[in-house]
Amino acid sequence: MNLLVTGAAGFIGAALAHRLLDRGDTVVGLDNLNDYYEVSLKEARLARLAARPGFRFVRLDLADRAGMRTLFAGERFDAVAHLAAQAGVRYSLKNPDAYVDSNLVGFGNVLEGCRHTRVGHLVYASSSSVYGLNAKMPFSEEDSVDHPVSLYAATKKANELMAHVYSHLYALPTTGLRFFTVYGPWGRPDMSPYLFIRAMLAGEPIKVFNHGEMLRDFTYVDDIVEGVVRVIDRPPSSGDASLLDSPATSTAPYRVYNIGNSQPVRLLDYIATFERALGVKAKLDLQPMQPGDVVATAADTTALERAVGFRPSTPLAVGVQRFVDWYREFYKVPASRG
């Protein structure tokens, strides 16, 4: 297939592009290379992709309506994997405009491009953050997601609603994937693996919010990518009225799935996994809960397993060790330091 992967210089987008190229697809990678985090890391990811046949990079901002219209008209994509977004819960408290421009305006431009060029399937990144104040565990797609606690989460719920409208009005097949705390090699520097390893190797304390009493469903990036690829190949079809009983399905060709490891880990146990992988004892700076955060996330992935026959399986210790090994190699950190 000829696919568009937005956010191709990003963590998950780059990994997905490699996986699609591995199986023989043609990939157009889109990214605006913004400076939310170090651009050099994004460029390094792109350099690996640029060396591969079948990949072409387009530097473009999602909010550029004319540019997006031209891109879609010129390429005629079979499917779109939309992973570009302004990420980060805490950053949304500081720079809300970035979330409106990228996650709302940008997503609208993607939907319009798919609609007018009859793209066969739009798969887009939602987030476990949409569950907000939900207390029932594990989180199920059957649950209401009406109480987000960050603008980032609100934009992701808005994406799901916008996608449903286009599925209903224009028969555009759309699938939203609620990612649960993705980690692994080539990850984002604003996320906990980077923050922990940098502080630990420097002998500095790491900030531990809610005094460590948090649970997260950490999901290894290769598992996420495998799930995305399988979903791309299974566009939803229209269904009967009974599908309206669930917020994750519809009479329109629309679906939403959780994709997570289904094994939530206590934050202090997560830190201990890094201690073992590095051979370094962490210094903890225990802090209160941060605005916009949630205490726990845990994924019920039954629906995804039923739909595409896949469930993430990489153990946390294995995934963390792979990240640590990659970090040492990429940043040239001698093993003797840890």
Side-chain angles (χ1 to χ4, degrees), residues 255-328:
R255 299 291 183 274
V256 172
Y257 298 111
N258 289 335
I259 181 166
N261 203 38
S262 302
Q263 297 181 28
V265 176
R266 186 166 168 256
L267 183 55
L268 294 178
D269 294 332
Y270 179 57
I271 294 170
T273 306
F274 277 88
E275 291 177 327
R276 289 189 290 271
L278 286 168
V280 173
K281 186 68 176 175
K283 299 177 182 179
L284 306 183
D285 176 12
L286 301 179
Q287 300 208 358
M289 192 74 170
Q290 294 291 289
D293 271 353
V294 296
V295 173
T297 63
D300 179 347
T301 59
T302 304
L304 181 68
E305 293 174 51
R306 189 166 53 241
V308 299
F310 178 73
R311 177 177 182 172
S313 60
T314 303
L316 181 66
V318 173
V320 166
Q321 188 64 61
R322 289 173 183 170
F323 173 78
V324 168
D325 292 344
W326 168 81
Y327 184 96
R328 288 190 187 281

Side-chain angles (χ1 to χ4, degrees), residues 220-241:
Y220 190 64
V221 63
D222 289 356
D223 287 336
I224 287 286
V225 165
E226 179 62 26
V228 173
V229 170
R230 293 195 188 199
V231 167
I232 287 172
D233 293 341
R234 297 286 293 274
S237 56
S238 300
D240 58 36

